[in-house]
């Protein structure tokens, strides 16, 4: 159980929640502000003035005044009517990150919910009651309405939830965990479904996976460089310092450290007739480094968003006001997701060109065609390279921006939306594609380095090859390759490669 202070949560905290499904609770210091905002909402609900979402309808129906005795029914109807998600359920990991993000947003003390809402969300995370949330249905404004409604429904004892690996009605899941549903009070339904937590959860998950892949790409790119007997001259620190981009500088330093001590590299410093390597070798720090910088920009946006109050209206305690605004609009998350998508596509694009280089005997500096010792009778990694080309092309298509695609909804009241939800959700497929591209590069680069025997690669990269060989043996003759590709891709996804090298890798914060 991790205790967090809303507005002070870091990317490392969020990564822990994502990867380890860590339960969280809010620090007690935030409870007075939550209670003050609730009291302000309660007073508004008892008053005669119309306050959006407290005693009015919603969206285009905001001008309809609701009687005080109907406010509980109003909130229940809001949740049930907005449970319009479709498609497959999102993963438990994503749903729990959504719940944690919703807690952090409510914890800012601007939403007006009771402490009982906080307590139930915390208890659901602690006991493992996870709402079943369909993946599709949000346009990223006015918040992630449909998916968050499916989350909120379980708090009322409606909807469906997973508990002990079984799907059951929400009320049964709560009961099995020793919890009781709540009747939502004024504005509480609106506070639960207004917000960007679905989009932000998927964008963060995409970021975390992409970051692991980027670190792995530095490893596979260094191994590919040695496999084709590439030059390390383009890794000279002064080159990258003269340009000044932090990601490029760090990528160059990391690759230089990864290749330090390579006997293969030392063997061709003299007498090599090649003057320059192709761009996919020579420009690796420039490309991966740029992707790192872009992801860092996106990471900062998502860290801010994870700590934000994003529902509507908000209780401004200092001014003693309840004000309708637009913090539910997920435009920042949409931009961040598009940035991550571009970075993922480019890391994969240059990796695919390295794979093509290694399997091509004209360009690989005397490696056998398609990395098989008996070409002709065997095809080696010929079609594995084709598979990476397909994945690279798919990622190029998926990288097209989503945030520029808006459409009016809710009778033109919500007339500009962010499309952040599927912009973030598509990152999962893109990262999987990238992991598989890098997995094939790992297979090819390791095979290429082994063909250089008795020359050996650097100690860090020797450890990488040795780890790969625990799961996938060298390709001496053609065999059923699909399992090899899956195992190598899983090794990339695990993040294990970067750790094995014992080389310092770029992190979220420069």
């Amino acid at each position: 159980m991790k205790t967090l202070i809303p507005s002070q949560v870091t990317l490392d905290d969020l990564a822990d929640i994502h990867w380890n499904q860590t339960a969280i609770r809010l620090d007690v210091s935030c409870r007075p502000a939550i209670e003050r905002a609730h009291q302000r909402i309660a007073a508004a609900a008892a008053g005669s003035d119309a306050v959006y979402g407290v005693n009015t309808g919603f969206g285009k129906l905001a001008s309809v005044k609701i009687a005080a005795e109907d406010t509980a029914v109003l909130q229940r109807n809001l949740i049930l009517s907005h449970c319009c998600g479709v498609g497959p359920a999102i993963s438990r990991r994503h749903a729990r990150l959504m719940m944690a993000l919703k807690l952090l947003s409510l914890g800012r003390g601007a939403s007006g919910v009771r402490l009982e809402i906080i307590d139930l969300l915390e208890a659901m995370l602690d006991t493992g009651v996870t709402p079943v949330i369909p993946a599709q249905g949000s346009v990223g404004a006015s918040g992630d309405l449909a998916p968050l409604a499916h989350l909120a429904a379980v708090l009322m004892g409606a909807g469906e939830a997973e508990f002990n690996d079984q799907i059951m009605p929400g009320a049964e899941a709560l009961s099995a965990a020793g919890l009781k549903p709540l009747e939502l009070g004024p504005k509480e339904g609106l506070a639960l479904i207004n917000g960007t937590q679905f989009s932000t959860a998927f964008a963060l998950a995409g970021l975390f996976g992409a970051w692991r892949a980027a670190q792995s790409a530095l490893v596979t790119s260094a191994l590919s460089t040695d496999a084709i007997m590439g030059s390390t001259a383009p890794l000279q620190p002064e080159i990258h310092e003269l340009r000044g981009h932090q990601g490029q500088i760090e990528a160059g330093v990391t690759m230089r450290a990864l290749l330090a001590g390579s006997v293969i590299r030392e063997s061709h410093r003299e007498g090599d007739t090649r003057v320059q390597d192709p761009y996919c070798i020579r420009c690796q720090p420039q490309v991966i480094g740029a992707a790192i910088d872009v992801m860092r920009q996106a990471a900062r946006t998502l860290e801010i968003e994870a700590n934000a109050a994003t529902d509507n209206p908000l209780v401004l305690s200092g001014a003693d006001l309840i004000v309708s605004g637009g913090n539910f609009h997920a435009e920042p998350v949409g931009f961040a997701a598009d940035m991550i998508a571009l970075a993922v596509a480019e890391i994969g694009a240059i990796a695919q060109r390295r794979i093509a280089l290694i399997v091509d005997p004209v360009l690989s500096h005397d490696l056998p065609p398609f990395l098989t010792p008996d070409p002709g009778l065997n095809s080696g990694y010929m079609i594995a390279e084709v598979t990476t080309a397909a994945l690279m092309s798919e990622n190029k298509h998926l990288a097209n921006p989503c945030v520029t695609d808006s459409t009016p909804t809710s009778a033109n009241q919500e007339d500009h939306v962010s499309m952040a939800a599927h912009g973030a959700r598509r990152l999962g497929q893109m990262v999987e594609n990238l992991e598989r591209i890098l997995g094939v590069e790992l297979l090819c680069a390791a095979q290429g380095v082994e063909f250089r025997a008795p020359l050996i690669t650097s100690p860090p990269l020797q450890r990488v090859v040795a780890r790969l060989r625990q799961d996938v043996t060298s390709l001496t003759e053609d065999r059923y390759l699909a399992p090899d590709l899956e195992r190598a891709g899983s090794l990339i996804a695990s993040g294990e490669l970067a750790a094995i090298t014992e080389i310092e890798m770029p992190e979220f914060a420069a």
Side-chain angles (χ1 to χ4, degrees), residues 185-206:
K187 193 190 172 285
E188 288 181 335
L190 195 59
L192 287 167
I193 69 169
N194 258 184
T196 66
Q197 286 75 39
F198 178 92
S199 298
T200 305
F202 274 85
L204 283 167

Side-chain angles (χ1 to χ4, degrees), residues 241-257:
E241 289 163 4
L242 281 167
R243 197 172 197 186
H245 293 295
Q246 187 63 33
Q248 177 181 330
I249 292 169
E250 292 179 30
V253 167
T254 301
M255 289 188 65
R256 191 174 174 86

Side-chain angles (χ1 to χ4, degrees), residues 61 66 197 503:
L61 304 175
I66 306 299
Q197 286 75 39
I503 298 297

Side-chain angles (χ1 to χ4, degrees), residues 218-359:
L218 290 169
V219 177
T220 59
S221 63
L223 195 60
S224 292
T225 300
D226 236 12
I228 63 103
M229 289 189 158
S231 174
T232 55
L235 302 178
Q236 288 289 336
E238 292 84 355
I239 293 175
H240 310 296
E241 289 163 4
L242 281 167
R243 197 172 197 186
H245 293 295
Q246 187 63 33
Q248 177 181 330
I249 292 169
E250 292 179 30
V253 167
T254 301
M255 289 188 65
R256 191 174 174 86
L258 285 165
L259 285 159
S262 168
V263 177
I264 295 173
R265 173 63 187 116
E266 296 305 317
S267 72
H268 61 95
R269 283 191 184 273
E270 303 294 334
D272 193 334
T273 58
R274 296 170 298 170
V275 177
Q276 293 179 329
D277 291 317
Y279 288 179
C280 68
I281 299 294
R282 196 179 354 141
C283 299
Q284 289 171 103
Q286 286 81 358
V287 175
I288 299 179
I292 287 171
D293 284 341
V294 165
M295 285 196 288
R296 280 180 173 149
Q297 293 177 51
R300 179 58 183 145
T301 295
L302 296 177
E303 185 177 60
I304 293 169
E305 190 72 8
N307 283 284
T310 58
D311 66 279
N312 181 62
L314 292 173
V315 180
L316 310 182
S317 295
D320 193 28
L321 294 172
I322 302 172
V323 180
S324 285
N327 280 6
F328 51 72
H329 200 298
E331 195 82 356
V333 183
F335 273 118
D338 282 349
M339 292 163 68
I340 296 166
L342 290 171
V344 168
E346 280 298 275
I347 293 171
I350 194 169
Q352 200 284 325
R353 296 318 304 154
R354 292 193 297 267
I355 297 166
L357 187 73
I358 297 171
V359 301

